[in-house]
Amino acid sequence: SRFMYDSWQNLVPEARRRGYDDVLTALESTLTARYGYDPEFEMLADAMRSRDRELVETLLAEKPSLAAASDVRGNNAIHLAVMTDMRDLIGPLTKLGADMEARRADGSTPILLAVNHDYWYHESRDVSPDIVDFLLERGADYPLSIALFRQDGQRIDELLRAAPALATQLNAARQSHLFCAARAGQTEVVRRLLDLG
């Protein structure tokens, strides 16, 4: 499942529990190739979820490569910095190799996660929406779905004029732009997207 309900986070421990070593190796090697999976990343993820800045810094000092790794769902350290609103870590994490445009298993980049929140980590719903602006100021891509969320008419016009086919495409998290516009209450943009197909 690309939507992470019955996906990697269940397959990996189940293969381990059943002693299916070949299956476990195949799963973990695929996770590593796709998302930079590292089982040790979970220590960093736990420290970030606990907002233990000192432990985060200690773990990164001991193993800097964890900044570019991910957990079993494909969350990297920037995804977690967004979920926990530890935005002051984003700059140092990118310097250590964390990818601001990384897609996790459901396709969400950190900036899409800032808008959509995380199904499994409910505290992410409490993150201030200004983290989207924070990410954009630090060079995050500015796709149509984020322009729709921000109700940025200029950016919406610019993107749809340059590529009208965007109206019928899904974003990285497999959401339609029509959904994003409707969720933001942008009736005129909804009409425009419908007119574009």
Side-chain angles (χ1 to χ4, degrees):
S1 166
R2 289 182 167 184
F3 297 97
M4 305 196 317
Y5 299 104
D6 286 313
S7 190
W8 304 102
Q9 75 276 6
N10 295 330
L11 296 173
V12 169
E14 190 62 15
R16 187 176 290 120
R17 185 185 73 78
R18 293 182 185 209
Y20 294 168
D21 295 337
D22 291 345
V23 173
L24 181 61
T25 298
L27 290 169
E28 288 185 334
S29 65
T30 302
L31 277 168
T32 300
R34 288 186 188 177
Y35 309 111
Y37 172 69
D38 182 337
E40 290 182 35
F41 180 83
E42 203 53 51
M43 293 183 300
L44 179 63
D46 286 343
M48 291 181 77
R49 286 186 203 102
S50 300
R51 292 177 176 83
D52 186 338
R53 175 72 185 238
E54 186 177 332
L55 181 55
V56 168
E57 290 174 353
T58 299
L59 291 169
L60 289 171
E62 290 172 0
K63 189 173 180 182
S65 63
L66 288 178
S70 81
D71 66 12
V72 74
R73 290 189 174 96
N75 288 304
N76 74 4
I78 297 183
H79 286 103
L80 284 156
V82 167
M83 284 191 272
T84 59
D85 205 357
M86 294 182 77
R87 60 185 76 191
D88 59 320
L89 289 175
I90 291 173
L93 288 167
T94 55
K95 287 179 184 170
L96 289 172
D99 183 359
M100 196 176 301
E101 300 305 324
R103 293 184 182 189
R104 60 187 206 166
D106 67 350
S108 290
T109 60
I111 200 166
L112 282 172
L113 187 60
V115 171
N116 297 324
H117 310 295
D118 184 76
Y119 178 82
W120 300 101
Y121 186 70
H122 298 288
E123 288 84 350
S124 70
R125 290 168 177 82
D126 300 329
V127 172
S128 172
D130 73 343
I131 198 162
V132 171
D133 297 327
F134 182 87
L135 291 166
L136 290 171
E137 289 164 7
R138 275 140 193 87
D141 284 349
Y142 192 6
L144 180 58
S145 49
I146 297 302
L148 292 164
F149 167 77
R150 294 180 76 230
Q151 301 186 25
D152 182 346
Q154 183 177 342
R155 180 69 174 162
I156 294 165
D157 287 343
E158 174 187 313
L159 291 169
L160 289 175
R161 259 188 271 118
L166 276 175
T168 62
Q169 295 172 3
L170 302 179
N171 69 18
R174 295 168 194 82
Q175 298 167 322
S176 73
H177 293 110
L178 185 62
F179 164 80
C180 296
R183 178 174 67 177
Q186 297 186 71
T187 308
E188 291 307 312
V189 178
V190 166
R191 288 191 183 102
R192 183 175 180 185
L193 292 172
L194 289 170
D195 289 344
L196 288 169

